Amino acid sequence: MARTREFDEEQVLHAAMQLFWEKGYEATSLSDLTARMGITRPSIYSAFGDKKELFEAALRKYTMTRASEMRTKLQSNPSVKEAFRTFFEDVIAEEYSGGPSRGCFCINTMVELAPHDEKFEILTREHQMYLSVIFQETIERGIQSGELKAVADAKALAQALITSLIGLTVILKSRPQRAFVDNTLDVTLSLLK
Amino acid sequence: MARTREFDEEQVLHAAMQLFWEKGYEATSLSDLTARMGITRPSIYSAFGDKKELFEAALRKYTMTRASEMRTKLQSNPSVKEAFRTFFEDVIAEEYSGGPSRGCFCINTMVELAPHDEKFEILTREHQMYLSVIFQETIERGIQSGELKAVADAKALAQALITSLIGLTVILKSRPQRAFVDNTLDVTLSLLK
DNA sequence: AAAATAACGTACTGATCGGTATGTTATTTG
DNA sequence: CAAATAACATACCGATCAGTACGTTATTTT
């Protein structure tokens, strides 16, 4: 041990996450990163490795946080149908809140890097699979409570809902009319019965 | 008039389209483009303008071709349900065919550029809206023929299907298990009744 | 207090980026 | 045939890229 770090690793990683989330991997330069993170270039390399490793750390932080938030939101509502509707409506509200349309960091990465980098193919796939399990558990809770019909194939339904969520998140980037989104949501949630 | 072009504009634009489709805007360099298009840098600039204008031309070519193909595919099957299933299965088969997972050029652009460039926000949105109209017309054909229930809200249903198609196209980039995709497809198509 | 060590800031590296100036070659028009 | 013109190839531009060498400063350990 010698001199102590003058920055908080979690804090600067959070800053890097925000930037990568907003701009993607290629469009974010090291200069952008040092400016936003508030630390110098060598500090980044000593703490996180190269640009791609930093990106990976940022994405891992994102997926963990996101999965946890999602689980909490879905569990907080006793009605499964309401839980899903609120969840989807929050995603929509986030995009229409005026700020830059960041969408989902994991989905952005799935599009930009997964096809050319196996590490990110796996990382993004596993996150989506994990989310679909959270959906599935929520659906199963609805079946247990009698709110949903027992004949429903919870797993298949969860996977279809995740796919719709991805589609919704992506198309929101093109800022479609509100009616498009509302229609999509109504039809998609009609699968829960 | 003077010396005549030694290259075919359509042909080199097609090459540029393939490259942008595969790698995206930022990750494609002018050197990549000259190599694949087989023409020199100044030739690109005189024929198409700068990199972003070339990208736009490539995307426009893609969306026109794609919309036309889609219309043809959906119209070629007398059964609307079968038409949709075949259409979705072709999208899936394309991604599992072994080659590089390019997905949909328009969706890729929606993720990479739409949030930071209004021109592409509009261009990608209008393409998706156009596709949803094609879906809607197909659903209406099914209602007319009696294959689908008349109570269906054709427009809302079409929009939900487009959203699912986007989600499916995106998640295919992470190469999920075949069962995930099959489940999603079955549940999604169950909306057509 | 002295030696060791790790984080710091500065300044630099070669490579590559998008874009262009310039001279040459080929075709058209007068 | 000669003048005009546009597409060609080469070679270059300044800017920026990701990544690092190196000397300084601060903290820990002996």
Side-chain angles (χ1 to χ4, degrees):
Chain A
M1 279 300 154
R3 190 170 171 177
T4 55
R5 284 250 157 88
E6 292 179 4
F7 59 90
D8 178 58
E9 263 190 53
E10 276 306 308
Q11 184 183 314
V12 300
L13 180 57
H14 185 81
M17 181 190 78
Q18 301 280 352
L19 198 51
F20 279 131
W21 184 358
E22 188 182 320
K23 304 186 38 162
Y25 178 76
E26 290 288 348
T28 302
S29 72
L30 262 294
S31 299
D32 294 333
L33 287 164
T34 56
R36 185 87 137 242
M37 297 169 81
I39 62 178
T40 62
R41 215 169 272 236
S43 294
I44 293 179
Y45 281 84
S46 78
F48 303 101
D50 68 13
K51 188 186 174 189
K52 210 142 209 176
E53 291 174 291
L54 172 60
F55 183 88
E56 185 184 342
L59 180 58
R60 287 188 185 277
K61 179 181 171 71
Y62 173 85
T63 55
M64 288 178 197
T65 307
R66 178 75 183 142
S68 163
E69 277 175 10
M70 189 160 152
R71 174 158 257 138
T72 301
K73 279 189 180 179
L74 288 175
Q75 286 177 344
S76 70
N77 198 320
S79 163
V80 164
K81 288 184 184 179
E82 280 179 24
F84 274 111
R85 178 166 283 276
T86 302
F87 179 80
F88 276 82
E89 279 176 349
D90 283 357
V91 169
I92 295 165
E94 167 75 28
E95 291 293 306
Y96 279 104
S97 66
S101 169
R102 296 181 301 177
C104 166
F105 187 12
C106 178
I107 292 174
N108 298 349
T109 303
M110 204 150 48
V111 172
E112 186 183 7
L113 300 183
H116 310 97
D117 190 322
E118 196 183 359
K119 173 171 271 172
F120 292 102
E121 173 197 311
I122 294 170
L123 219 155
T124 57
R125 177 175 64 227
E126 288 184 346
H127 178 61
Q128 297 302 332
M129 295 307 120
Y130 185 65
L131 296 189
S132 86
V133 169
I134 296 178
F135 269 23
Q136 181 180 342
E137 288 167 359
T138 305
I139 292 168
E140 283 166 348
R141 172 163 72 86
I143 294 174
Q144 299 270 318
S145 75
E147 186 183 357
L148 300 181
K149 284 203 288 192
V151 290
D153 180 343
K155 186 175 183 180
L157 191 49
Q159 291 170 342
L161 289 181
I162 284 292
T163 301
S164 286
L165 175 61
I166 293 171
L168 193 64
T169 304
V170 168
I171 203 160
L172 280 168
K173 286 178 176 284
S174 76
R175 302 204 178 277
Q177 288 190 336
R178 191 61 194 242
F180 182 100
V181 176
D182 291 340
N183 285 341
T184 293
L185 186 51
D186 288 344
V187 173
T188 301
L189 293 181
S190 77
L191 287 167
L192 289 169
K193 50 179 184 279
Chain B
M1 280 300 155
R3 190 171 171 176
T4 55
R5 284 251 158 86
E6 294 180 1
F7 58 90
D8 177 58
E9 264 190 53
E10 276 306 308
Q11 184 183 314
V12 299
L13 180 57
H14 184 81
M17 182 190 79
Q18 301 279 353
L19 198 50
F20 279 131
W21 184 359
E22 187 181 321
K23 304 186 39 163
Y25 178 76
E26 290 289 346
T28 302
S29 71
L30 262 294
S31 299
D32 293 333
L33 288 165
T34 56
R36 184 87 137 239
M37 297 168 80
I39 62 178
T40 63
R41 216 170 272 235
S43 294
I44 292 179
Y45 280 85
S46 79
F48 303 102
D50 68 14
K51 188 186 174 189
K52 211 143 210 177
E53 291 175 290
L54 172 60
F55 183 87
E56 184 185 342
L59 180 58
R60 287 189 185 276
K61 179 180 170 71
Y62 174 86
T63 56
M64 288 178 196
T65 306
R66 178 76 182 141
S68 163
E69 277 176 10
M70 188 159 153
R71 174 159 257 138
T72 302
K73 280 191 179 179
L74 288 174
Q75 285 177 345
S76 70
N77 197 320
S79 162
V80 165
K81 287 184 184 179
E82 279 179 25
F84 274 112
R85 177 166 284 275
T86 302
F87 179 80
F88 276 83
E89 280 175 349
D90 283 356
V91 169
I92 294 166
E94 167 74 27
E95 291 294 307
Y96 279 103
S97 66
S101 170
R102 297 180 302 178
C104 165
F105 187 12
C106 179
I107 292 174
N108 298 350
T109 303
M110 204 150 49
V111 171
E112 186 183 7
L113 299 183
H116 310 97
D117 190 322
E118 196 183 358
K119 173 171 271 171
F120 292 103
E121 173 196 311
I122 295 170
L123 219 153
T124 57
R125 177 175 64 228
E126 289 184 346
H127 177 61
Q128 297 302 329
M129 294 308 119
Y130 186 64
L131 297 189
S132 87
V133 169
I134 297 177
F135 269 23
Q136 181 181 341
E137 288 167 359
T138 305
I139 292 168
E140 283 166 349
R141 173 163 71 87
I143 295 174
Q144 299 269 319
S145 74
E147 186 183 357
L148 301 180
K149 285 202 288 192
V151 289
D153 180 344
K155 187 175 182 181
L157 191 48
Q159 291 170 342
L161 289 181
I162 283 292
T163 301
S164 285
L165 175 60
I166 294 171
L168 193 64
T169 304
V170 168
I171 203 162
L172 280 168
K173 286 178 174 284
S174 76
R175 304 203 177 276
Q177 288 190 336
R178 192 61 195 242
F180 182 101
V181 176
D182 292 340
N183 287 340
T184 292
L185 186 53
D186 287 344
V187 173
T188 300
L189 293 181
S190 77
L191 287 166
L192 290 169
K193 52 179 182 278

